[in-house]
Amino acid sequence: MTKGVVGDVKATLEALLPKLNERSDSSFRTAYLGRYAKYKEAEKEKIVAGRDGSIPGSYLTRVISQHAAKDALFTADDGTPAAWAYRHIEANGQRRIFASLLHGTMANGMPSSIGLQKSQPDRQVVCLAGDGGISMLFGDLMTIVQQELPIKIAVFDNGKLGFVEIEQKAEGMLDTFTKLKNPNFAEVARAMGLWGRTVCKADQLEGAVKLWLSQPGPALLHVHVNPMQLVMPPFMTVEPAVGMALYSARAVLHGRGDDVWEMVKENFL
């Protein structure tokens, strides 16, 4: 930073605008809008049901986006739910997505959804929760019932701390202490007074999402998502590619070749 300035935004802009020269050349903007449109179109072709009827987290998010209200407010736990939300929830000028976006944050989706539903009681609030995140906040499910908040919670159950595991693999490490022994979250929800349902197969997903979103009160949809799906960066750099290669070699040497093959099938074939 060359010079830090503290001031009122409006007054600062009024002083700054006369000093700026307006540009009429929009070629840079046009090129990148075209590039973005091309990327989105290519992504759409990839967002489909997984092999053998499994449910990728990206596909679940796309289905929720298709059926959620046009002005819905979305919250997402940081990790894979936030990554899928920002990539696959269709923006239309009315919807809003709320996530912490700070490294290492967990379980922020459901508390945010409570605050949003309280402040915007007439809008649909959808929480995209990770299995690790929601497990930390069962008490908040009771709060949602107590306060009679019609929040719709989707649990992305991949049986692990997904983002942590991806980071470990990208560093060339075997995934360690990331696996979770989860309960049936739908049964937990029903025991606490929410509507709850579990989905394991892609052909059941759309109907379940419609039913879940149509509930008049709080509702939880427990979805078993594909545990091997990776969050791929837009551009691949050398370091994570080398890390993944090291992880793959170590996994094979430790008798976990099936995990490597499943990862390759789900993400690259």
Side-chain angles (χ1 to χ4, degrees):
M1 183 184 295
T2 305
K3 185 176 184 179
V5 179
V6 178
D8 176 83
V9 173
K10 183 180 178 182
T12 302
L13 288 176
E14 286 174 345
L16 180 63
L17 283 173
K19 300 180 182 297
L20 299 179
N21 296 318
E22 184 176 350
R23 290 188 178 182
S24 58
D25 180 9
S26 62
S27 58
F28 179 85
R29 176 178 178 274
T30 302
Y32 274 85
L33 283 174
R35 183 175 177 180
Y36 175 72
K38 210 168 163 186
Y39 164 77
K40 291 292 286 185
E41 198 58 38
E43 280 294 294
K44 277 184 182 178
E45 296 175 5
K46 301 176 187 174
I47 310 307
V48 295
R51 294 169 182 271
D52 303 319
S54 65
I55 304 173
S58 54
Y59 180 62
L60 167 59
T61 309
R62 174 63 57 84
V63 173
I64 291 173
S65 177
Q66 289 171 343
H67 297 289
K70 296 300 181 186
D71 65 343
L73 304 174
F74 296 89
T75 68
D77 280 347
D78 275 359
T80 49
W84 301 142
Y86 280 107
R87 289 187 182 188
H88 305 300
I89 296 295
E90 288 295 329
N92 58 11
Q94 296 175 282
R95 290 174 166 179
R96 296 290 182 270
I97 304 174
F98 299 83
S100 161
L101 302 182
L102 295 175
H103 184 74
T105 305
M106 281 189 68
N108 56 286
M110 195 155 54
S112 298
S113 71
I114 292 173
L116 287 170
Q117 192 72 85
K118 277 289 192 180
S119 65
Q120 300 286 322
D122 297 326
R123 292 178 72 172
Q124 186 182 69
V125 176
V126 180
C127 171
L128 310 180
D131 47 355
I134 199 169
S135 298
M136 300 166 68
L137 296 175
F138 281 169
D140 279 359
L141 289 176
M142 298 173 67
T143 299
I144 289 170
V145 173
Q146 179 72 29
Q147 296 292 319
E148 300 179 348
L149 301 174
I151 297 166
K152 306 299 180 279
I153 303 162
V155 180
F156 289 60
D157 182 359
N158 57 7
K160 59 188 179 183
L161 302 175
F163 231 53
V164 177
E165 183 172 295
I166 291 172
E167 288 172 337
Q168 290 179 350
K169 290 177 178 178
E171 291 293 327
M173 301 163 56
L174 289 175
D175 44 295
T176 308
F177 299 121
T178 57
K179 298 291 187 290
L180 300 174
K181 295 182 180 180
N182 289 326
N184 184 313
F185 291 107
E187 290 183 2
V188 172
R190 289 196 292 269
M192 292 184 175
L194 294 88
W195 179 94
R197 175 166 293 190
T198 298
V199 180
C200 303
K201 291 294 183 181
D203 60 1
Q204 305 166 349
L205 182 63
E206 189 159 8
V209 166
K210 289 180 181 178
L211 186 61
W212 164 65
L213 289 172
S214 70
Q215 297 305 306
L220 184 146
L221 187 65
H222 172 205
V223 184
H224 289 277
V225 297
N226 194 321
M228 288 298 176
Q229 185 181 21
L230 299 174
V231 179
M232 302 292 288
F235 306 101
M236 185 61 71
T237 56
V238 174
E239 291 83 358
V242 171
M244 278 293 181
L246 284 172
Y247 154 74
S248 300
R250 286 171 176 158
V252 170
L253 290 173
H254 282 77
R256 293 168 56 181
D258 287 349
D259 288 350
V260 177
W261 176 236
E262 283 299 315
M263 182 180 71
V264 170
K265 280 200 304 182
E266 287 301 329
N267 296 280
F268 304 106
L269 296 182

